[in-house]
Amino acid sequence: MSDKDDISQKTLAVHGGEPRTYPYDALAAPITQTATYSFADTAELIAYFEGRKDREEYGRYGNPSVRLVEEKVAALEGTEDAVAFASGMAAVTSTILALVKSGSHVILFADCYRRTRQFVTTFLGRFDVSHTLIPPADVGALKKAIVPETRLVIAEAPTNPYQTIPDLEELVAICKKKKIKTLIDSTFATPVNCNPARYGIDLVIHSATKYLAGHNDVLGGVLAGSAGMVSLVRDLRSLLGATLDPHAAYLIHRGIKTLALRIEQQNATAQAMAERLEQHPRVRQVWYPGLASHPNHDTARRLMSGFGGVVTFELDADLEGTSRFVDACRIPRIAPSLGGVESLIEQPALMSYFELSTEEREAIGIKNNLVRLAVGIEDTDELIADVLAALGATR
Ligand SMILES: *Cc1c(COP(=O)(O)O)cnc(C)c1O
């Protein structure tokens, strides 16, 4: 099943991209745990290399369990194809490397994932690939940043932690005219809340570690796009070796079965949480795309069918008071990452930006009293009650 326009995300999550039957009439997808594949005889080997026989060859080039993840994500995103990687960053770096060459220029929204930013701003320079950072969600600045060498625009929607959402339709209109490829890291949105390819985005990336797998127990990444683009990136994956392991693929594939259900719950809990926090006297500001107060709320409503499971907020407290609140939460666990069944909470100043001084953090908009809460699938009312009770600890 893959026809996105006729079939709901709930049904596609369960059945999308899967054959009707598996070997031995198994209902569940098997794990093909193998590093290589045998040929019946030399004639088959020759037929394969001459392109007369389609089959697997070697584990770094392909695996049926990995293929199932790729086909399911392609079905959910409504793209021709997808290719899976050992991690989200393997997907990001392999895709970018497949598209640029010495002399190319890349445009990146300044609030993109920290490691993506690091790769573009420090690593690519070694290969004479230049870049321009543009302000969050500022598509107007994109127009001005384009130079004749610009090959690629990298965006995220929503971003971390303020959840900005650039206008994807405008972004595509600008880039298509100049034949510039567009890449969106859609990890926070998931294919349930947004399908960027529908708006003409060329390349859609997910850290499958987060919502797709959904259980905080496996790393993975996926790129979805046209057959041509995916094939280009797949060839580089085979060369770089950032291939997804078959057992990890099985866990991701199994996780996606419940994706639409989990996202429905996480959207609802996060919306209710954001609304309650916004009313609370110990909370200064809340950033959630589903709130009318969010600067990109209108864009979110136009492009997304749900607003996601992450709520970011600033407390009326200092660094220590904010830590006391985080420590007082009994349900959310303190950990990096997001998107799993367990709620996770963190103080970005002490997690992703620990090495920076208070002044350096302020300069990039990360305040000491900022909290990121990624809601899981626990009971909505119990989670809200737990977080509200913990706010008392900020005093
Ligand atoms: C976590 C994350 C990544 C990196 O994914 P890994 O699976 O940890 O390599 C990339 N982009 C976003 C938005 C993420 O949240």
Side-chain angles (χ1 to χ4, degrees), residues 218-236:
V218 64
L219 291 169
V222 186
L223 162 72
S226 69
M229 297 294 292
V230 167
S231 163
L232 188 79
V233 179
R234 185 187 297 282
D235 286 349
L236 187 61

Side-chain angles (χ1 to χ4, degrees), residues 87-90 92 113 116 156 185 187-188 207 209-210 219-220 338:
S87 70
M89 277 313 292
V92 168
Y113 185 66
T116 302
E156 276 174 39
D185 183 332
T187 299
F188 273 50
S207 165
T209 313
K210 315 293 168 51
L219 291 169
L338 61 126

Side-chain angles (χ1 to χ4, degrees), residues 108-173:
L108 180 74
F109 285 88
D111 57 345
C112 278
Y113 185 66
R114 194 165 57 109
R115 299 302 178 192
T116 302
R117 216 165 56 220
Q118 182 185 352
F119 181 73
V120 170
T121 61
T122 68
F123 191 79
L124 284 184
R126 289 198 208 172
F127 306 100
D128 194 26
V129 174
S130 61
H131 67 271
T132 303
L133 289 183
I134 56 173
D138 189 349
V139 177
L142 170 65
K143 252 188 203 155
K144 295 187 204 113
I146 292 173
V147 295
E149 293 75 28
T150 307
R151 286 283 160 278
L152 177 66
V153 171
I154 304 171
E156 276 174 39
T159 60
N160 178 49
Y162 293 109
Q163 309 199 61
T164 68
I165 298 156
D167 187 328
L168 300 187
E169 291 174 312
E170 228 179 285
L171 188 148
V172 165

Side-chain angles (χ1 to χ4, degrees), residues 60-61 85 94 232-243:
R60 184 158 23 78
Y61 309 143
F85 294 85
S94 304
L232 188 79
V233 179
R234 185 187 297 282
D235 286 349
L236 187 61
R237 181 194 68 172
S238 296
L239 185 63
L240 295 176
T243 311

